[in-house]
Amino acid sequence: AFPRASLTRARSLPRARTFSPPSMGNIIVSPPNEAAIISGCRGTRIIIGKCSFQFWIFETCKRLGLELMTISVQSRSAETAKGVRISLSSTAQIKILTGNGTKVDLDKVELAAQHFLGYSRDEIQHAVHRTMEGHQRQVIGTLTVEELYKDRASFSTRVKELVDPDLQNMGFELVSYTVTDIDDQEGYITALGATQTAAVKREAEEGRARNESAARVTVAKAKSEAQIAEAENARNASVQANAFAASEASSLRDLNLKQQEYQREVNEATARAEAALRIETAIQDQKVIKQKTLQKVEEATVMLQVTEKEVERMKAEAEGESGARLLTQRNESESLKVAAEAEAYETRQKGLAHADAVKAQGDAEAAVIREKVAAYPRYADERMIQIVMNEMPAIAEKVAAPLKNAGKMIFVSGDGTGPSKLTTDIGNIMSGLPDTVETLTGLNIKNVMKRLEGDGALKAAVDATD
């Protein structure tokens, strides 16, 4: 550690003097109470009380203070070995490990830099304070109030032994540690001091009483010896002896009352401490139950969110599958529609073509007929008769068709004309055909036939045109 005057001068020095060469980098200057850590393409270099060169872009420089740090550690409501809650304040002097005091150990400085490089002084002190406070509470929990009150040096030694390894792992060392104050809210320490004071006073009173009693005994003995010598003083000696016994009994009574009062105070303090311990235990149990309940609620919330996400995913998949099926059905429908339209168009075109062909054929036939009609005014009648006459055999066949299905026919007739009547009926049907044609078309076949018989040349002309 540096002397106080040296530390004051070190703090007054500027933290860094940076010179900027034209095109290479910076010159880094570090005072004795500060470490400059340069890291980059050339590795890591620690500069203490020296200067070095830092390249631009490829290297960076950060600083770590080596001054002594004073930390006030306060443990409020810390439980002792018997459950009594006390408040203990202490002061610790801590610094970064730099070696044994004669030579700087850069490895230890690098260890501190690994943990706290870039941290502010307040952040470093806060981290070290939490470590110190935790170990201080740990040691308090292993001792009683009486041990802490009577032997503070032993407590300080135990704290230092416990905290030194952790601080060294962080790159620090504990220079000094002292307990500044011990107090409690229940008045236990005050009662402990009052009890000790009362005990000292009681011993003083007992000593004075013993001395006075011894003096009285001596005087009484002298008087008794004198009274024994004198018979008249015998009664007075007996009275003095009884008075001495009464005084001794009174002193013993007062002593017993004081002892009972002190014991009652101790019992009350013990009862308060036990009650406080039970209350704090119940509070901690309630906090544990509350945290467990909150954890279960959080787990239920997470499971509900996972379930909702799964439902949304399944819903999205179902919507995607439904959309895909709908698109497929729509495409199939469009395909069927196009195919149907193509087939209908083909059928329509074929129908139109067939209709055009039939129409053309009909127009040709109609043109021929019109020409024949123009050439022969009676051509229509003769043509109608010819058509009827050409169909006569087919009509007769249709009329006689039912007779083909008859396998066997039995005629019942008195005069034997049954079979001949069958053929006569067919002839009668055929002979009525001209009347039927005249009724349907207005054409009298019989008259046309008679006219054709009288006009043989016209008939030959019509036959020539067929």
Side-chain angles (χ1 to χ4, degrees):
F2 294 102
R4 182 176 298 276
S6 299
L7 288 175
T8 303
R9 289 195 297 272
R11 291 193 183 95
S12 64
L13 292 176
R15 288 190 174 272
R17 296 177 181 176
T18 303
F19 301 94
S20 301
S23 61
M24 294 294 293
N26 298 327
I27 296 177
I28 305 300
V29 179
S30 176
N33 64 336
E34 188 177 57
I37 294 91
I38 301 174
S39 58
C41 60
R42 295 186 294 172
T44 300
R45 305 191 307 281
I46 300 175
I47 308 301
I48 301 176
K50 299 178 182 179
C51 65
S52 182
F53 184 80
Q54 171 201 350
F55 283 106
W56 289 343
I57 301 176
F58 303 105
E59 291 183 332
T60 182
C61 177
K62 292 187 178 180
R63 299 178 180 275
L64 187 65
L66 304 179
E67 299 94 344
L68 193 67
M69 293 184 294
T70 302
I71 299 176
S72 177
V73 184
Q74 296 182 352
S75 298
R76 301 297 183 188
S77 300
E79 289 187 359
T80 60
K82 292 185 178 181
V84 179
R85 292 184 174 274
I86 66 170
S87 297
L88 189 145
S89 301
S90 62
T91 301
Q93 301 287 340
I94 298 173
K95 67 183 295 292
I96 294 177
L97 282 169
T98 56
N100 56 9
T102 59
K103 183 179 180 181
V104 176
D105 190 345
L106 297 181
D107 292 336
K108 295 179 179 179
V109 176
E110 184 177 3
L111 178 62
Q114 290 176 357
H115 293 102
F116 299 101
L117 186 62
Y119 282 47
S120 65
R121 186 180 180 85
D122 291 339
E123 291 174 339
I124 295 175
Q125 288 184 350
H126 181 66
V128 176
H129 176 272
R130 287 187 296 178
T131 302
M132 289 294 302
E133 207 271 337
H135 286 295
Q136 183 171 277
R137 281 182 176 271
Q138 183 177 355
V139 176
I140 290 173
T142 62
L143 300 175
T144 63
V145 178
E146 288 79 5
E147 292 172 344
L148 290 169
Y149 190 79
K150 293 178 180 179
D151 194 358
R152 296 187 181 187
S154 176
F155 171 77
S156 299
T157 302
R158 293 184 63 177
V159 172
K160 191 174 187 302
E161 292 174 351
L162 187 63
V163 78
D164 264 340
D166 288 348
L167 289 178
Q168 290 177 4
N169 290 334
M170 296 167 62
F172 292 89
E173 63 176 336
L174 181 61
V175 178
S176 66
Y177 175 83
T178 55
V179 178
T180 58
D181 185 30
I182 301 176
D183 195 6
D184 69 311
Q185 298 179 354
E186 301 294 336
Y188 186 89
I189 296 177
T190 302
L192 186 64
T195 302
Q196 186 67 22
T197 303
V200 172
K201 290 181 178 180
R202 181 191 66 207
E203 291 176 359
E205 291 292 335
E206 289 176 354
R208 186 176 65 181
R210 284 194 297 269
N211 292 331
E212 291 179 354
S213 176
R216 287 195 298 270
V217 168
T218 302
V219 173
K221 286 182 178 180
K223 289 182 178 181
S224 178
E225 290 175 356
Q227 290 174 359
I228 291 173
E230 298 176 359
E232 63 272 15
N233 293 329
R235 185 175 61 85
N236 294 330
S238 177
V239 172
Q240 291 294 330
N242 291 334
F244 172 75
S247 176
E248 185 176 7
S250 177
S251 176
L252 291 174
R253 181 196 64 191
D254 294 340
L255 177 61
N256 290 333
L257 290 176
K258 289 291 184 181
Q259 289 178 345
Q260 292 177 0
E261 183 177 357
Y262 296 151
Q263 186 63 35
R264 179 178 61 79
E265 292 176 355
V266 172
N267 292 338
E268 289 179 355
T270 303
R272 284 196 300 270
E274 292 177 354
L277 177 61
R278 289 194 297 271
I279 292 172
E280 183 62 25
T281 302
I283 293 174
Q284 296 300 326
D285 292 340
Q286 291 178 357
K287 291 181 178 179
V288 170
I289 294 173
K290 181 178 180 181
Q291 292 299 323
K292 289 182 177 179
T293 304
L294 292 176
Q295 182 179 2
K296 291 181 179 179
V297 171
E298 186 66 22
E299 291 177 355
T301 304
V302 172
M303 291 301 297
L304 179 59
Q305 293 176 353
V306 171
T307 303
E308 291 177 352
K309 294 295 183 181
E310 184 66 20
V311 170
E312 290 178 358
R313 184 186 64 80
M314 295 175 65
K315 181 178 179 181
E317 290 180 356
E319 291 178 353
E321 292 177 358
S322 176
R325 288 196 299 270
L326 180 61
L327 182 59
T328 301
Q329 293 175 358
R330 184 178 299 168
N331 292 334
E332 291 177 356
S333 176
E334 291 293 334
S335 299
L336 292 175
K337 180 179 179 182
V338 171
E341 289 179 352
E343 185 177 357
Y345 179 77
E346 181 181 1
T347 303
R348 184 166 60 254
Q349 293 299 322
K350 288 181 179 180
L352 291 175
H354 180 69
D356 291 342
V358 173
K359 180 180 180 183
Q361 183 179 0
D363 291 342
E365 291 180 355
V368 172
I369 293 173
R370 283 194 299 270
E371 290 178 359
K372 289 181 179 182
V373 171
Y376 309 103
R378 296 181 182 179
Y379 173 77
D381 294 340
E382 283 78 4
R383 184 60 180 168
M384 181 65 70
I385 293 173
Q386 183 180 2
I387 293 172
V388 173
M389 295 307 293
N390 288 338
E391 295 297 327
M392 287 292 287
I395 294 173
E397 184 180 358
K398 297 295 182 180
V399 172
L403 296 178
K404 294 180 180 181
N405 298 325
K408 183 179 180 180
M409 299 178 64
I410 298 175
F411 296 95
V412 180
S413 176
D415 55 0
T417 61
S420 61
K421 287 185 178 180
L422 177 61
T423 56
T424 302
D425 290 338
I426 294 173
N428 292 334
I429 292 174
M430 295 302 296
S431 63
L433 184 60
D435 296 334
T436 302
V437 173
E438 182 180 4
T439 303
L440 296 175
T441 64
L443 179 62
N444 192 332
I445 297 176
K446 294 178 181 180
N447 293 334
V448 174
M449 292 296 291
K450 289 178 180 180
R451 189 172 59 252
L452 289 175
E453 289 177 356
D455 193 358
L458 180 60
K459 179 178 180 298
V462 172
D463 292 337
T465 60
D466 293 336

